[in-house]
């Protein structure tokens, strides 16, 4: 009879330690000896034998009760003292919780960094960046040999010598793995490597761990630490605990060692079979001669990441066990979010969101691998259907599309959010919606690339799904990304680098709903431009970024949601005391956007490395200008900033937001009049006021409510003729031009093929749209069937939407986009669709 998956389940993990029931004589010998622990003959013999077999007799090994206590004593020894949390243990965030717990118990604070996109271990670039930033505050580095792989230990030898830093290698699943020379992983290394012998590992016992080091003296000290720190008989001479392995576990370990070459060879054969069959998936890059994976981990396509739970469930229904490990990774887990320090982890976020682990164990055959792979492909296909998101293509026949949304970032998705919040999402989809997105995911856009906090509250982000009539949207409040954002409910904004998981999940859910009701989604595609069609509508030219192919699409309406950008030429053309910044600052001029991105402060630090007491000028009165100042003041390690080292030069007055005039007066702020109060909400400087983190800095610098200004920062109100400002800029070592954003307008052409001059093409900081969010030409006339939304689009609330009469800038904000502004556009789109149908 042909075997089916439902007749024989293939478990994810099938522990196969040696059987104590088959070792009666060995157990009797232990009983006869009367030695059950304390480095008895069985454990001691195992330690010697594994060093001989795997490490060619070099170094020494110490068997311990489990790998976690092994990490604890090894990290404590490498740290040199109990730092009581004042120093860091640097480790990848994509690892098991035991590693960070062990560091804490050893007296260090975990410092979580990003992963390498190829081998999924710690990123060398992230390590070097952290070493530059934190210096000798990092006491120990704890690299992880991810999923039984080998990693480059030479890198850590050099790091240990160059930085005088301790190293402990977490190689939990790698016991028995062979390096490029055919020796056990860690052979000859001067630092401790810690392995697990848990029942689920390839080297399976019931429980247990092993510490190996090429330095036998280090192992000798660790042996004392594992025995209560007794360096002399019953006399504690060093920190310690009870980490000893009992004799019975040593017996299991010795039996596993005797059979391990066969076990490892069989698993390597299964792993090779997986790689032959899963060429369409992303797999970990392997190092060494023989890894010892305890399961086979692959990365799902990004378009399927949000469907991972469905895929795991479908595999289970097919009789195949599957799971996802280290997802959420440490920086995403509640305890470590509070207790650890986390650097940005975009690679770990991506790996964690997409990884899925498949069975790879002693009981399997190559036929089982084929069965698992077939089940995985079938589950992926089933979870993707009938969505057209995965393929990224959409019909381009003569059928006319009603609405084309160009851009699926935060603004484009906010449009769909506004429709969903008002029960109009299905209507919008049925009215012929097509969305084209440049990237491979929806929702996040470029937000995750910035090092600053949002000027929108956590509640604003989460309001997109709160009380949603769509269960799949409402459930996102419990999505890891949603839970992460909720942590910042009472904080001064949300770190933008932490927003993409939630926004991508939101984008994916919205896409699923719209596609189900007839919409089309095209990923990794870009709209090159659009031309007016006689009789109405637009002909858009679209390029597939994957193969370069181009096609045309007829649409009645366009919605441009392509965001904004900072124009370096416009910044350089700005004048201070009649002189352009180009001439005044030269190569010292840095666009504000560059400073605000991840790594921007470090790049500034490198430029200022030879300056003992740097002077920095920041030009602008926008939130981005104040955010740049905040990053400089909060830099860690701190810049050597003396009194007035940073000057913020601004033409407009710096105005803080207040929820009411009464609140402003109670705080001692009275620099406002009736025209500065929103007549709808009663907010003071509702549109023009600084919020959250930027607001706090402005209040301090203005000395409101008795707040003390930061002495490192000075304010300078710019005038037209201003020699003092000119001197400040001329004397600065770095000049940051944070002078706002321009709309990224789509090239539009008339029916004759002539480029239409848009208001957005004007110099300075022009508008893309009018007060109804319609795209306007250079004369201010709206273009039929063209709308715009997003950063720098230029819409300003008025009338029933509120806003202070004195406001003269551009209103940017997620709340506006996913509420009033988004709904305004949706209503116009649906009204025009109804007219066309009539």
């Amino acid at each position: 009879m042909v075997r089916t998956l439902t007749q024989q389940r293939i478990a994810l993990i099938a522990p196969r330690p040696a059987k104590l029931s088959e070792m009666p004589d060995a157990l009797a010998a232990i009983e006869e000896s009367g030695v059950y622990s304390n480095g008895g003959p069985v454990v001691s013999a195992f330690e010697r034998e594994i060093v001989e077999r795997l490490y060619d007799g070099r170094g020494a090994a110490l068997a311990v009760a489990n790998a976690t206590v092994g990490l604890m004593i090894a990290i404590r020894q490498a740290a040199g003292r109990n730092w009581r949390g004042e120093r860091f243990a640097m480790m990848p965030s994509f690892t098991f919780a035991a590693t960070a717990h062990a560091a804490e118990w050893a007296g260090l604070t975990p410092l979580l960094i990003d992963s390498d996109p190829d081998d999924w271990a710690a990123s060398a670039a992230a390590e070097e960046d952290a070493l530059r930033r934190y210096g000798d505050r990092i006491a120990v580095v704890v690299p992880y040999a991810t999923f039984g792989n080998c990693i480059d230990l030479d890198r850590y030898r050099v790091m240990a010598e160059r930085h005088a830093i301790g190293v402990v290698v977490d190689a939990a699943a790698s016991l028995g793995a062979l390096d490029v020379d055919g020796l056990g992983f860690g052979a000859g290394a001067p630092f401790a490597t810690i392995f697990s012998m848990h029942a689920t590992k390839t080297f399976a016992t019931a429980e247990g761990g092993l510490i190996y080091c090429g330095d036998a003296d280090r192992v000798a000290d660790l042996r004392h630490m594992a025995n209560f720190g007794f360096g002399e008989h019953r006399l504690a001479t060093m920190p310690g605990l009870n980490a000893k392995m009992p004799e019975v576990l040593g017996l299991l370990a010795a039996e596993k060692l005797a059979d391990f070459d066969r076990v490892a060879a069989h698993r390597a054969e299964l792993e090779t079979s997986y790689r032959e069959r899963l060429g369409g998936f992303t797999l970990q890059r392997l190092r060494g001669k023989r890894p010892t994976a305890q399961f086979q981990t692959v990365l799902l396509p990004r378009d399927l990441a949000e469907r991972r739970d469905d895929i795991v469930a479908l595999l289970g229904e097919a009789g195949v066990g599957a799971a996802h490990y280290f997802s959420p990774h440490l920086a995403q887990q509640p305890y470590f979010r509070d207790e650890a320090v986390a650097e940005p982890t975009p690679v770990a976020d991506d790996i964690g969101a997409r990884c899925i682990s498949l069975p790879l164990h002693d009981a399997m055959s190559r036929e089982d691998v084929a069965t698992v792979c077939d089940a995985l492909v079938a589950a992926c296909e089933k979870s993707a259907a009938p969505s057209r998101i995965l393929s990224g293509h959409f019909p381009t026949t003569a059928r006319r599309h009603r609405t084309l949304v160009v851009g699926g970032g935060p603004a484009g998705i906010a449009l769909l959010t506004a429709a969903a919040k008002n029960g109009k999402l299905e209507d919008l989809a049925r009215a012929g919606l097509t969305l084209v997105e440049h990237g491979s995911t929806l929702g996040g856009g470029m937000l995750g690339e910035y090092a600053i906090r949002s000027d929108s509250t956590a509640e604003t982000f989460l309001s997109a799904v709160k009380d949603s009539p769509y269960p799949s949207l409402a459930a996102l409040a419990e999505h890891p990304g949603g839970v992460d954002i909720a942590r910042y409910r009472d904080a001064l904004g949300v770190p933008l680098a932490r927003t993409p998981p939630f926004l991508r999940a939101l984008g994916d859910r919205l896409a699923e709903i719209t596609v189900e009701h007839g919409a089309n989604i095209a990923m990794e595609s870009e709209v090159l431009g659009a031309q007016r069609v006689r009789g109405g509508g637009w002909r858009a030219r679209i390029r597939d970024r994957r193969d370069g192919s181009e096609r045309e699409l007829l649409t009645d309406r366009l919605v441009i949601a392509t965001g904004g950008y900072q124009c370096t030429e416009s910044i350089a053309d700005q004048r201070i005391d009649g002189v352009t910044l180009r001439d005044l600052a030269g190569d010292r001029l840095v666009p504000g956007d560059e400073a605000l991105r991840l790594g921007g402060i470090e790049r500034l630090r490198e430029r200022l490395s030879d300056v003992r007491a740097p002077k920095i000028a920041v030009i602008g009165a926008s939130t981005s200008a104040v955010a740049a100042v905040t990053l400089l003041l909060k830099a860690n390690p701190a810049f050597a900033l003396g009194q007035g080292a940073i000057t913020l030069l601004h033409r407009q007055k710096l105005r803080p937001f207040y929820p009411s005039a009464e609140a402003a007066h109670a705080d001692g702020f009275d620099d406002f009049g009736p025209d500065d109060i929103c007549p709808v909400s009663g907010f003071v400087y509702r549109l023009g006021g600084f919020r959250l983190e930027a607001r706090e800095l402005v209040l301090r610098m203005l000395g409101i409510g008795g707040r003390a200004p930061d002495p490192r920062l000075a304010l300078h109100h710019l005038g037209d003729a201003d020699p003092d400002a000119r001197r400040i800029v001329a004397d600065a070592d770095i000049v940051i031009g944070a002078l706002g954003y321009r709309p990224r307008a789509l090239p539009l052409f008339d029916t004759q093929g002539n480029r239409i001059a848009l208001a957005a093409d004007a110099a300075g900081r022009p508008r893309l749209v009018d007060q109804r969010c319609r795209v306007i030409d250079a004369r201010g006339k709206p273009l039929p069937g063209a709308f715009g939304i997003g950063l720098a689009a230029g819409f300003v609330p008025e009338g029933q939407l509120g806003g202070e009469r004195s406001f003269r800038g551009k209103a940017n904000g997620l709340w506006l986009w996913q509420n009033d502004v988004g709904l305004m556009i949706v209503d116009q789109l649906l009204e025009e669709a109804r007219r066309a149908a009539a």
Side-chain angles (χ1 to χ4, degrees):
M1 183 176 69
V2 178
R3 188 184 69 173
T4 66
L5 283 175
T6 55
Q7 292 171 320
Q8 181 171 344
R9 178 174 176 80
I10 302 176
L12 174 61
I13 297 176
R16 280 200 174 183
K19 296 181 179 179
L20 288 171
S21 60
E22 296 179 357
M23 294 181 278
D25 294 342
L27 288 170
I30 291 174
E31 293 176 350
E32 181 67 23
S33 72
V35 178
Y36 294 92
S37 186
N38 294 346
V42 176
V43 170
S44 297
F46 166 69
E47 291 171 345
R48 292 191 298 272
E49 185 178 2
I50 202 165
V51 172
E52 288 298 324
R53 289 187 57 170
L54 290 181
Y55 299 102
D56 199 26
R58 300 159 57 188
L62 169 64
V64 290
N66 58 65
T68 303
V69 294
L71 284 167
M72 289 165 62
I73 61 175
I75 293 173
R76 177 64 179 80
Q77 183 199 52
R81 55 166 284 192
N82 187 343
W83 288 101
R84 303 186 183 279
E86 297 173 0
R87 294 291 187 273
F88 294 116
M90 180 170 66
M91 65 189 66
S93 186
F94 190 71
T95 189
F96 189 51
T99 315
H101 282 309
E104 278 203 319
W105 283 108
L108 299 173
T109 295
L111 173 61
L112 308 177
I113 62 170
D114 208 4
S115 299
D116 183 276
D118 294 326
D119 66 8
W120 308 346
S123 161
E127 287 173 339
E128 290 302 317
D129 184 57
L131 287 167
R132 283 193 300 270
R133 292 188 61 191
Y134 296 95
D136 59 8
R137 295 175 66 194
I138 300 176
V140 179
V141 179
V142 191
Y144 171 50
T146 311
F147 296 147
N149 199 9
C150 299
I151 58 175
D152 179 12
L153 295 184
D154 287 338
R155 182 167 107 214
Y156 295 100
R157 288 188 179 93
V158 172
M159 184 184 297
E161 295 173 0
R162 179 180 299 166
H163 298 279
I165 198 169
V167 175
V168 174
V169 180
D170 176 6
S174 299
L175 184 55
L178 302 181
D179 62 19
V180 292
D181 297 321
L183 296 174
F185 174 60
F191 34 74
T193 302
I194 318 300
F195 303 97
S196 172
M197 294 187 287
H198 188 270
T200 59
K201 299 295 188 287
T202 301
F203 197 106
T205 65
E207 181 61 278
L210 185 82
I211 303 175
Y212 167 80
C213 183
D215 181 353
D217 291 339
R218 183 180 293 275
V219 175
D221 284 345
L222 288 168
R223 191 177 299 279
H224 295 317
M225 293 179 71
N227 186 32
F228 306 104
F230 291 159
E232 299 180 22
H233 182 67
R234 297 288 177 179
L235 185 65
T237 61
M238 61 189 72
L241 46 74
N242 183 6
K244 299 184 296 294
M245 172 178 277
E247 288 284 87
V248 173
L249 290 182
L251 186 61
L252 291 175
E255 287 295 316
K256 177 57 69 174
L257 180 60
D259 189 42
F260 190 73
D261 282 340
R262 181 194 62 80
V263 170
H266 176 64
R267 289 194 178 221
E269 180 182 350
L270 298 179
E271 201 275 338
T272 298
S273 184
Y274 266 119
R275 288 182 176 269
E276 291 171 350
R277 293 178 172 274
L278 294 177
F281 293 83
T282 300
L283 285 84
Q284 181 184 22
R285 178 164 62 89
L286 300 181
R287 293 178 177 270
K289 198 170 184 179
R290 184 184 73 188
T292 53
Q294 67 185 107
F295 33 71
Q296 180 65 57
T297 300
V298 302
L299 301 187
L300 296 170
R302 287 186 174 87
D303 293 328
L304 286 179
E306 291 299 328
R307 298 177 178 80
R308 181 174 60 184
D309 290 344
D310 296 336
I311 292 170
V312 170
L314 288 168
L315 284 169
E317 292 173 6
V320 175
H324 46 84
Y325 285 85
F326 313 151
S327 175
H329 56 78
L330 298 186
Q332 297 170 329
Q333 296 180 24
Y335 178 75
F336 296 114
R337 283 200 303 257
D338 295 333
E339 300 296 326
V341 172
E343 293 293 286
T345 56
V347 175
D349 295 345
D350 182 58
I351 295 171
R354 298 164 58 200
C355 66
I356 184 169
S357 295
L358 306 171
L360 194 162
H361 49 74
D362 304 356
M364 291 177 62
S365 65
R366 276 183 171 268
E367 290 73 21
D368 291 324
V369 171
T371 300
V372 172
C373 293
D374 290 344
L376 175 64
V377 172
C380 289
E381 291 176 347
K382 185 174 181 179
S383 65
S387 171
R388 281 156 282 182
I389 299 172
L390 183 60
S391 67
H393 294 288
F394 53 85
T396 57
T397 62
R399 180 176 71 85
R400 197 180 185 102
H401 297 247
R402 295 300 183 187
T403 299
L404 171 62
V405 178
V406 185
I413 293 305
L415 183 74
L416 304 185
T417 299
K421 294 176 76 169
N422 291 275
K424 299 179 180 182
L425 188 57
E426 292 97 334
D427 292 341
L428 190 63
R430 294 190 188 102
L433 175 69
T434 293
L435 186 147
V436 176
E437 163 57 23
H438 181 271
S440 59
T441 59
L442 296 175
M446 306 294 287
L447 286 186
E449 297 185 10
Y450 287 86
I452 60 176
R453 289 178 178 260
S454 67
D455 58 0
S456 297
T457 63
E459 287 82 355
T460 295
F461 284 93
L462 296 174
S463 69
V465 299
K466 183 180 180 181
D467 301 324
S468 175
Y470 301 95
S472 63
L473 293 180
L476 291 179
E478 303 303 322
H479 181 277
V483 173
D484 190 25
I485 285 178
R487 295 178 54 226
Y488 298 95
R489 286 186 187 276
D490 298 321
L492 297 176
V494 183
L496 291 181
R498 307 201 71 89
T499 61
F502 173 75
L503 293 176
R504 287 197 295 260
L506 174 61
D508 201 19
R509 294 285 195 274
L510 289 166
E512 288 175 350
I513 296 169
T514 55
V515 167
E516 182 181 350
H517 291 88
N520 299 286
I521 308 290
M523 308 298 296
E524 297 188 73
S525 297
E526 56 188 339
V527 179
L528 304 177
Q531 181 178 353
R532 289 291 311 276
V533 177
R534 282 189 172 86
W538 298 87
R539 176 180 286 105
R541 189 125 189 107
I542 299 170
R543 175 190 294 154
D544 189 314
R545 298 180 58 241
R546 291 161 294 193
D547 59 20
S549 62
E550 296 184 7
R551 55 199 183 275
E552 290 187 343
L553 179 146
L554 291 175
T555 182
D556 290 335
R557 294 167 294 277
L558 291 170
V559 180
I560 301 173
T562 47
Y565 71 101
Q566 200 161 63
C567 178
T568 55
E569 289 300 311
S570 294
I571 294 173
D573 287 339
Q574 295 294 313
R575 293 180 178 271
I576 301 290
D577 194 35
V579 182
T580 66
L581 286 176
R582 179 183 292 103
D583 294 331
L584 193 56
D587 59 6
R588 294 176 292 119
L589 181 61
V590 176
D593 193 72
E594 182 178 319
L596 299 178
R597 289 178 181 267
L598 293 174
I601 292 297
E602 295 313 310
R603 288 187 287 273
L604 292 181
R605 192 188 306 280
E606 291 176 5
R607 295 183 61 168
L608 295 170
S609 59
D610 296 330
V611 182
R612 294 186 60 185
K615 294 181 179 180
I616 303 171
V618 180
I619 305 173
S622 64
T623 296
S624 60
V626 178
V629 171
T630 302
L631 283 180
L632 291 166
L633 294 175
K634 291 171 56 180
N636 188 1
F639 286 96
L641 301 175
Q643 184 170 356
I646 303 173
T647 302
L648 177 63
L649 301 99
H650 56 99
R651 293 190 188 279
Q652 290 79 37
K653 294 172 63 176
L654 303 179
R655 304 178 175 96
F657 163 86
Y658 278 96
S660 67
E662 292 76 14
H665 288 303
D667 200 30
F669 180 75
D670 57 9
D671 187 12
F672 62 93
D675 284 352
D676 302 317
I677 301 174
C678 171
V680 174
S681 65
F683 296 164
V684 178
Y685 295 125
R686 174 190 170 188
L687 302 179
F690 290 98
R691 297 175 182 248
L692 301 175
E693 191 171 41
R695 177 180 184 270
E696 289 303 307
L697 181 59
V698 168
L699 288 173
R700 287 184 63 188
M701 296 314 300
L702 296 179
I704 303 301
R707 296 171 175 87
D710 191 313
R712 297 170 295 174
L713 175 62
L715 302 180
H716 184 92
H717 198 170
L718 278 167
D720 293 333
D722 197 335
D724 289 338
R726 181 174 176 175
R727 176 187 52 78
I728 291 169
V729 173
D731 291 346
D733 299 293
I734 289 290
V735 179
I736 299 175
L739 296 166
Y741 292 80
R742 292 175 57 87
R744 186 177 284 109
L746 186 70
L748 300 178
F749 302 85
D750 62 21
T751 56
Q752 304 299 317
N754 301 310
R755 180 76 175 262
I756 300 174
L758 301 177
D761 299 329
R765 297 175 58 193
R767 299 178 66 171
L768 173 68
V769 302
D770 64 8
Q771 290 302 89
R772 295 181 59 192
C773 293
R774 300 175 299 184
V775 175
I776 51 178
D777 66 16
R779 299 170 298 169
K781 182 179 179 181
L783 301 181
F787 301 87
I789 185 174
L791 181 64
F795 172 80
V796 180
E798 60 184 3
Q800 293 182 344
L801 299 185
E804 65 269 24
R805 286 186 291 272
S806 61
F807 183 67
R808 295 294 181 268
K810 296 179 180 179
N812 296 309
L814 186 61
W815 191 91
L816 278 172
W817 299 342
Q818 64 189 24
N819 287 280
D820 294 338
V821 173
L823 183 60
M824 176 188 297
I825 297 175
V826 169
D827 284 344
Q828 291 180 85
L829 295 174
L830 292 178
E831 177 60 28
E832 291 193 13
R834 282 191 289 268
R835 290 175 181 172

